[in-house]
Amino acid sequence: MLRQILAVTGINIRAIPQRWTSSLVIVIGLAGVVAVFTALLAMAGGFENTLRATGRNDAAIVMRGGSDAELNSVLDRASDDLIEQAAGIRTGTDGRPEASAEMMIIAELMRKDDARPGVSGANVTVRGVEPAGFALRPQLKIVAGRTFTPGLRELIVGSGLVRQFQGTGVGQTVRMRGTDWTIVGIFAAGDSHDSEMWTDINVARTTFNRTGSSSVLVALEGPDGLDRLKASLAGDPRLTVDVVRERDYFIGQTRQFRQNIGVLAGVVTIIMGLGAAFAALNSMYAAVAARGKEIATLRALGFGGAPVAVSVLIESLLLALIGGVLGALVAYLLFNDLTVSTMGQSFTQVVFDFKVTPQLVQRGLVIAVVIGMVGGLLPAVRAARLPVTTGLREL
Amino acid sequence: MTKTGFVIANLFRKRTRTILTLLSVTMAFLLFGLLQSVNYLFSAGADALGATRLMTQARVSFTQSLPLSMVPKLESVPGVARVAYSQWFGGIWQDNTPVFVFSVDPARYHDVYPEYVMPEAQWREFARTRTAMVAGRQIADKYGWKVGQHIPISSNIYPQKNGSKAWAFDLVGIFDGKDEDWKKRTNQVLINHDYFDEANQFVKGRTNFYILRLTDADKAQSVIRTVDAMFENSLDETKTQTEKEFNLSFVKQLGDIGLIVRWILFAVFFTLLLVVGNTMAQSVRERIPELAVLKTLGFSDGAVLGFVIAEAFALCALGGLVGLVLASLAGAALEKGTGGQFALHLSGWVWLLGLITIVLMSLAVGLLPGLRAQRLRIVDALAGR
Amino acid sequence: MSESMVQVTNVTKIYERGTQQVEVLHGLTLQIPRGDFVALMGPSGSGKTTLLNLIGGLDQPTSGEVWVGGSRIDRMPSGQLAAWRARNVGFVFQFYNLIPVLTAEGNVELPLLLTKLSAAQRRKNAAVALQVVGLADRAGHKPSELSGGQEQRVAIARALVSDPQILVCDEPTGDLDRKTADDILGLLQVLNRDHGKTIVMVTHDPKAAEFARRTLHLEKGQLLEQSAA
Ligand SMILES: Nc1ncnc2c1ncn2[C@@H]1O[C@H](COP(=O)(O)OP(=O)(O)OP(=O)(O)O)[C@@H](O)[C@H]1O
Ligand SMILES: [Mg+2]
């Protein structure tokens, strides 16, 4: 049996060059499906990685109750002070609670690829931070220039922004509220902060005519830090705030995007996959038809129906797999590490890289194999059922 | 029998092959219809907007507010007929559903947006009642709101003076659009700015947007320049755009998504070209003697080319139209399913693009085999050479 | 049989096979009067099909003149030649060459698509042609549902339907048994006698040639003596 299958498959595969165009249809069809699938999920994955890397487990973000996002949250100065004095917060090296009141402002920058400059840009986050803001993000390093001087209208810019937006080099200026802000440095954190501009919160407060902040980021003390913090803040009647572990906050921000891209990838893959399956069916039927006489001869020589069917299936799977690998390769070459930006939860741009991971490639190949199976099955059955006599008469 | 009949008969000479190819084409155009509609959804509706209105926002970004003291200054600009303003409220319906709620001056808003129709009595009621709200037809239908109801809506930004973010308003009217385009833009709620201004804890005398209605559209560029120059170098620098530009700027925030949609479509059609092209080439290859017979009977070389192209066109058109219709149905179902929130209907523009694609595809896949058929020498073909 | 239907004068046909040149017809001259029925015989490779294709306007000579039905066709541009064929020549092949996706009626109607006839008129003419070949009852059948003899009758009806002056047949009975062949040849005879069609028929079968008025023998690209049937 096995020997029969091998023999028949060998004959089939050697015949592929003679009908290479229809074989190519299967290969290219599946390459397309797998490339698109992999690329879309590589995008979702890249976005998620960036935000997932951002939050720490031992830090919490405090916002006004019911705000959902930093952008919506407004805390007054008194609340800032109360929050920073709450229980459960770790003490920093300077002996003060490790907490940073931060203000989120949105500014507009022009993308580098924007053909019509000056009309409308994309929103980016400007974050006003207290000195503890740096201690709370030890991953953040200045990679060019220096950090901003407190009290001056100076900005440091995330490396992601520098890649995607115009006018973000050291020494250039950004205009906000009628004044010019000088960019004095570039930082890299390897997470979503790379899509932000940072400045001193006190300068931001005076410029934007606000007194408090958007949120307070605090380092948690010990494993029960979050619970103690929550209890402490809930117990204060002067405050209505929500407390979220920093990591959960950022992961929560990916939900919407993940959902959207998930739906897009699902719909596109299903429709494209169906199209490719029809094309594969077509090619395999044609292959069986073209070999009708040969199959009949084999059958007349005493080969069973099953080896013939299995050989057709193997051919289809093989072509599909080649297509899948090709598609994954194309997705990898074209999209891996491609930097793009899109709107995050808070209306501002998040810069991130596509990530084509082995797991994604694996899933793509599974899809290819399934489609190859679908495309090969019916023609395989037809090949096995082909009556020997009609087959011999054909051609 | 007719020429069309002949083309169709040839098309179905290998039934399985043709049907499978048609299904591939259908899938491609289904995807094309859906993705182009998404693209269109993002890029527009803006077509319905003329240039008779301008939007003025803070130059930093629209999340920054501007003082209401600007109203008289804006009104004094030559070419500006009427000024309205609108403040983002951050509305939340029930537990967690964001809704578009804007706080506006009712009389000004009514003057600036004549496209929204509601009985005058209700407009007056809206202006008179401090806690009033009016809702667009779409959103009112979606949540089953009736005039006279007291509707709880909270804000994820603005607390009331007592610190609570739970607000509630009296629904005094439901407005609709004057035509199909505007009927689709009735997914928002308006509340009375006087009340909001006084009852909220954070902002006083400020707004996110000004909407300037022009005396005529030609004045747009000069008004934009005058307004932005007027506030230059102040704390409240402005950015003024036409309403259309303003809408498009929201799309821009999606960044590179449009690019990705284009990549997908490229992949889809590249693949499709190969699939249909292969079918056509096969079909011509196995029909060479028949094509020679046609020429023998007196059909010219051009006529034979025409038959092959017509066949390719029939294949693309049949599959393509079915795909576009399916996309329409899917879009309509989606629109219904989301209560009109995600209005993914296939616009005329997408149809047009689809038809153009069908024609181009037909030529692309029909031309090579067609030329082969055209060049065919009868004597050789009949002898099987 | 006064006026000549076909006048081939000093025709040479050279095929190029790669760099090699094969001269198939050498200065051949032939005249066929209107209303004649000529059988063309000769060994395989002698150039019968080549000559027939020249007369039918499917191919053109390397040199020499070909006049058919009063038109000179040896230098006619291909588009004009196609239109000329549609009006003046009917073809019958050894392997029938029907269009498999069309019914008998559709096949017969096909050449009429090149005329200005209305759809109703086309149907009527096709029906008449099928009647002439005795296949009116099989109008709705596809070629795959017909016997070889019936297929050839359909092919003859297709050749007749646009009322050409001349029928050109290349081994029309080569693939048929004696009885069926005789039926077909009888039909050609009727067409020649009663409908006045000029017929040129290539055949390898001396019995078939007997149905013609006379037989021409072709050997190595040249005509031998003429013999009356
Ligand atoms: N297109 C061509 N190219 C090259 N040689 C050709 C071509 N057509 C015909 N020939 C050659 O011309 C010669 C005559 O061919 P033709 O088909 O006229 O013979 P025939 O008399 O009809 O033979 P048969 O009885 O076998 O049909 C043959 O040697 C053939 O190989
Ligand atoms: Mg011959």
Side-chain angles (χ1 to χ4, degrees):
Chain A
M1 178 77 171
L2 187 66
R3 189 168 327 145
Q4 283 190 30
I5 293 177
L6 284 177
V8 181
T9 309
I11 297 174
N12 288 358
I13 288 171
R14 250 167 291 158
I16 286 182
Q18 284 159 30
R19 47 193 157 77
W20 62 273
T21 41
S22 22
S23 304
L24 196 64
V25 164
I26 302 187
V27 172
I28 301 283
L30 279 150
V33 175
V34 173
V36 167
F37 171 83
T38 312
L40 280 175
L41 290 189
M43 176 166 80
F47 184 82
E48 200 171 331
N49 279 351
T50 301
L51 286 177
R52 210 173 259 279
T54 309
R56 280 168 49 175
N57 255 331
D58 61 346
I61 181 163
V62 184
M63 293 177 291
R64 174 174 283 269
S67 301
D68 301 330
E70 257 185 297
L71 178 65
N72 297 328
S73 168
V74 181
L75 297 169
D76 56 23
R77 196 62 175 266
S79 304
D80 287 350
D81 294 341
L82 287 172
I83 292 165
E84 293 188 5
Q85 301 307 322
I89 301 178
R90 198 167 58 204
T91 308
T93 43
D94 57 357
R96 302 190 39 213
E98 196 170 323
S100 167
E102 309 199 335
M103 184 150 106
M104 184 180 164
I105 304 142
I106 295 185
E108 278 188 14
L109 287 181
M110 300 308 294
R111 288 162 164 284
K112 278 200 171 140
D113 55 9
D114 205 318
R116 296 176 312 156
V119 184
S120 57
N123 295 330
V124 301
T125 300
V126 179
R127 182 177 295 279
V129 297
E130 291 186 325
F134 288 94
L136 277 157
R137 283 111 172 168
Q139 74 276 24
L140 187 147
K141 302 273 186 301
I142 301 286
V143 292
R146 55 172 174 86
T147 189
F148 56 80
T149 315
L152 293 183
R153 291 212 165 98
E154 290 181 346
L155 291 167
I156 52 174
V157 181
S159 54
L161 279 193
V162 177
R163 271 181 289 160
Q164 294 280 301
F165 290 88
Q166 302 174 15
T168 47
V170 173
Q172 293 186 277
T173 55
V174 174
R175 197 160 173 83
M176 291 189 290
R177 294 274 284 177
T179 48
D180 286 332
W181 298 57
T182 311
I183 296 171
V184 297
I186 294 169
F187 65 85
D191 57 26
S192 72
H193 292 303
D194 285 347
S195 316
E196 298 179 343
M197 299 196 278
W198 280 24
T199 188
D200 174 16
I201 189 171
N202 287 316
V203 179
R205 278 173 177 147
T206 46
T207 312
F208 288 90
N209 204 15
R210 282 163 64 170
T211 50
S213 66
S214 303
S215 63
V216 181
L217 184 68
V218 303
L220 296 170
E221 184 186 52
D224 62 342
L226 184 65
D227 294 332
R228 276 159 53 214
L229 177 66
K230 276 185 174 164
S232 159
L233 292 173
D236 192 329
R238 293 164 294 183
L239 290 172
T240 0
V241 293
D242 289 335
V243 185
V244 197
R245 199 182 287 279
E246 193 192 16
R247 164 156 298 170
D248 296 343
Y249 175 75
F250 283 101
I251 289 176
Q253 293 210 332
T254 66
R255 202 176 307 122
Q256 184 85 34
F257 190 79
R258 214 170 2 158
Q259 247 171 29
N260 290 347
I261 294 291
V263 169
L264 184 67
V267 170
V268 168
T269 308
I270 287 174
I271 298 178
M272 268 190 93
L274 276 175
F278 293 132
L281 266 174
N282 217 349
S283 297
M284 291 316 294
Y285 270 130
V288 169
R291 286 208 322 268
K293 192 171 182 176
E294 178 195 309
I295 292 173
T297 311
L298 286 172
R299 297 295 308 279
L301 289 177
F303 282 88
V308 169
V310 171
S311 75
V312 170
L313 208 54
I314 289 180
E315 177 182 338
S316 161
L317 285 178
L318 198 71
L319 292 173
L321 211 56
I322 294 175
V325 170
L326 192 68
L329 204 66
V330 166
Y332 183 84
L333 292 179
L334 282 180
F335 294 112
N336 195 40
D337 286 335
L338 176 73
T339 306
V340 295
S341 69
T342 190
M343 185 169 68
Q345 196 86 324
S346 55
F347 249 140
T348 54
Q349 296 291 305
V350 176
V351 180
F352 63 97
D353 297 337
F354 278 62
K355 283 285 170 242
V356 178
T357 61
Q359 290 96 308
L360 277 186
V361 171
Q362 202 183 324
R363 276 159 76 187
L365 291 183
V366 168
I367 290 177
V369 166
V370 168
I371 295 175
M373 189 74 109
V374 171
L377 208 55
L378 287 174
V381 170
R382 175 184 284 186
R385 291 234 182 105
L386 209 62
V388 178
T389 44
T390 34
L392 282 176
R393 220 174 338 113
E394 244 178 45
L395 292 173
Chain B
M1 195 198 47
T2 57
K3 282 185 188 166
T4 321
F6 182 50
V7 169
I8 302 283
N10 271 320
L11 190 59
F12 286 96
R13 101 197 283 280
K14 290 251 163 117
R15 195 165 308 218
T16 321
R17 179 175 69 199
T18 303
I19 289 175
L20 288 171
T21 308
L22 276 175
L23 285 171
S24 296
V25 178
T26 300
M27 289 301 136
F29 276 85
L30 169 59
L31 204 55
F32 173 89
L34 289 176
L35 290 180
Q36 287 295 355
S37 303
V38 172
N39 232 357
Y40 183 72
L41 182 74
F42 286 149
S43 69
D47 288 351
L49 305 172
T52 55
R53 270 185 296 262
L54 302 179
M55 307 291 289
T56 299
Q57 63 171 71
R59 192 169 152 213
V60 189
S61 89
F62 63 82
T63 52
Q64 199 64 38
S65 60
L66 294 169
L68 283 179
S69 58
M70 281 183 178
V71 173
K73 291 182 201 153
L74 291 170
E75 272 173 337
S76 71
V77 173
V80 173
R82 190 79 165 122
V83 176
Y85 48 84
S86 171
Q87 160 84 28
W88 174 252
F89 178 75
I92 299 287
W93 165 243
Q94 286 177 341
D95 275 349
N96 222 344
T97 317
V99 288
F100 296 108
V101 179
F102 297 96
S103 129
V104 304
D105 176 318
R108 287 177 180 275
Y109 195 86
H110 183 32
D111 290 345
V112 167
Y113 283 106
E115 290 89 349
Y116 288 128
V117 291
M118 186 166 76
E120 285 303 322
Q122 292 184 351
W123 280 113
R124 282 195 298 275
E125 188 65 24
F126 180 27
R128 200 163 45 225
T129 315
R130 278 163 35 85
T131 58
M133 75 177 229
V134 294
R137 168 64 57 200
Q138 278 188 338
I139 192 170
D141 285 352
K142 185 156 130 197
Y143 297 125
W145 293 339
K146 299 276 176 296
V147 171
Q149 283 179 337
H150 191 63
I151 299 191
I153 290 180
S154 35
S155 164
N156 61 15
I157 308 176
Y158 300 103
Q160 292 178 304
K161 285 268 156 60
N162 64 12
S164 161
K165 283 182 165 179
W167 297 66
F169 306 93
D170 298 304
L171 187 65
V172 299
I174 291 173
F175 62 89
D176 210 338
K178 71 170 166 87
D179 56 25
E180 276 310 308
D181 277 322
W182 283 90
K183 280 187 203 303
K184 294 209 167 81
R185 304 167 163 272
T186 54
N187 206 13
Q188 75 276 42
V189 169
L190 306 175
I191 58 172
N192 204 321
H193 193 75
D194 284 346
Y195 173 58
F196 169 78
D197 203 41
E198 187 182 300
N200 93 82
Q201 205 183 78
F202 291 160
V203 292
K204 184 119 195 90
R206 300 184 78 86
T207 190
N208 293 120
F209 311 110
Y210 284 105
I211 308 139
L212 316 181
R213 183 170 176 182
L214 303 177
T215 51
D216 73 272
D218 296 343
K219 299 264 168 61
Q221 288 314 313
S222 81
V223 172
I224 287 174
R225 272 194 302 273
T226 317
V227 169
D228 289 346
M230 196 150 72
F231 300 104
E232 208 170 348
N233 294 323
S234 77
L235 273 180
D236 298 301
E237 282 189 313
T238 58
K239 183 171 82 180
T240 305
Q241 297 163 282
T242 62
E243 197 176 20
K244 183 171 176 170
E245 280 287 348
F246 178 79
N247 277 32
L248 286 176
S249 70
F250 279 87
V251 182
K252 265 203 181 148
Q253 306 300 335
L254 286 169
D256 303 309
I257 301 295
L259 180 85
I260 283 144
V261 167
R262 276 196 294 282
W263 269 104
I264 298 177
L265 284 178
F266 173 79
V268 169
F269 278 92
F270 179 77
T271 313
L272 190 67
L273 225 55
L274 200 78
V275 172
V276 186
N278 185 48
T279 299
M280 282 309 300
Q282 252 174 15
S283 148
V284 165
R285 205 177 313 133
E286 64 197 22
R287 231 176 344 147
I288 298 252
E290 282 173 49
L291 294 168
V293 169
L294 285 182
K295 289 192 178 183
T296 307
L297 295 179
F299 288 92
S300 65
D301 295 349
V304 174
L305 169 69
F307 276 131
V308 175
I309 301 248
E311 206 175 311
F313 178 72
L315 197 61
C316 296
L318 208 59
L321 290 179
V322 171
L324 289 175
V325 167
L326 282 183
S328 285
L329 293 179
L334 199 64
E335 186 168 354
K336 248 215 184 77
T338 57
Q341 199 180 29
F342 202 54
L344 198 68
H345 65 293
L346 248 63
S347 61
W349 180 80
V350 175
W351 272 97
L352 185 71
L353 219 62
L355 296 182
I356 292 174
T357 310
I358 287 174
V359 171
L360 291 180
M361 276 267 313
S362 315
L363 287 178
V365 299
L367 212 55
L368 269 182
L371 287 175
R372 178 171 180 183
Q374 185 197 28
R375 287 205 211 98
L376 211 65
R377 285 177 32 103
I378 304 176
V379 185
D380 294 343
L382 284 178
R385 267 188 287 263
Chain C
M1 287 198 242
S2 48
E3 168 200 358
S4 83
M5 183 69 210
V6 176
Q7 177 67 56
V8 174
T9 313
N10 202 17
V11 155
T12 303
K13 179 69 186 177
I14 299 173
Y15 286 115
E16 310 208 353
R17 230 182 249 151
T19 53
Q20 221 180 326
Q21 294 202 333
V22 187
E23 186 165 328
V24 180
L25 301 176
H26 330 280
L28 186 143
T29 297
L30 165 68
Q31 198 241 4
I32 299 172
R34 192 176 286 276
D36 203 353
F37 182 171
V38 178
L40 195 55
M41 296 189 70
S44 190
S46 56
K48 304 181 297 292
T49 300
T50 305
L51 177 57
L52 205 63
N53 286 344
L54 294 180
I55 295 173
L58 295 182
D59 204 353
Q60 291 179 321
T62 313
S63 68
E65 281 184 25
V66 181
W67 288 75
V68 178
S71 311
R72 183 177 169 178
I73 59 169
D74 54 276
R75 291 285 171 271
M76 219 181 239
S78 89
Q80 223 173 313
L81 196 59
W84 175 84
R85 280 198 303 271
R87 263 179 286 113
N88 298 290
V89 195
F91 289 89
V92 180
F93 303 99
Q94 178 177 359
F95 297 109
Y96 334 126
N97 281 341
L98 298 177
I99 306 290
V101 294
L102 298 179
T103 59
E105 194 186 22
N107 267 287
V108 176
E109 216 186 307
L110 195 57
L112 297 180
L113 288 180
L114 290 162
T115 64
K116 292 202 169 66
L117 295 179
S118 71
Q121 193 67 45
R122 289 203 301 262
R123 283 182 74 93
K124 210 180 117 210
N125 289 10
V128 170
L130 278 171
Q131 195 108 47
V132 170
V133 301
L135 270 186
D137 54 332
R138 295 303 177 100
H141 291 234
K142 294 255 178 82
S144 56
E145 299 156 0
L146 297 172
S147 73
Q150 289 170 332
E151 281 195 70
Q152 196 60 299
R153 282 167 188 270
V154 175
I156 293 173
R158 181 176 67 185
L160 283 178
V161 74
S162 45
D163 198 22
Q165 311 177 51
I166 181 168
L167 293 186
V168 167
C169 316
D170 196 350
E171 303 187 40
T173 58
D175 205 38
L176 300 174
D177 63 51
R178 186 74 262 154
K179 166 82 181 61
T180 317
D182 287 352
D183 288 350
I184 295 291
L185 290 161
L187 176 60
L188 289 178
Q189 225 169 22
V190 169
L191 291 174
N192 172 249
R193 225 181 25 232
D194 302 350
H195 295 81
K197 303 291 177 207
T198 307
I199 299 178
V200 186
M201 173 180 77
V202 166
T203 183
H204 281 291
D205 175 9
K207 287 241 173 62
E210 285 169 14
F211 284 79
R213 290 178 195 262
R214 60 185 177 123
T215 303
L216 297 175
H217 288 276
L218 196 62
E219 200 141 331
K220 294 194 180 132
Q222 256 151 356
L223 281 176
L224 303 182
E225 86 290 358
Q226 302 194 4
S227 65

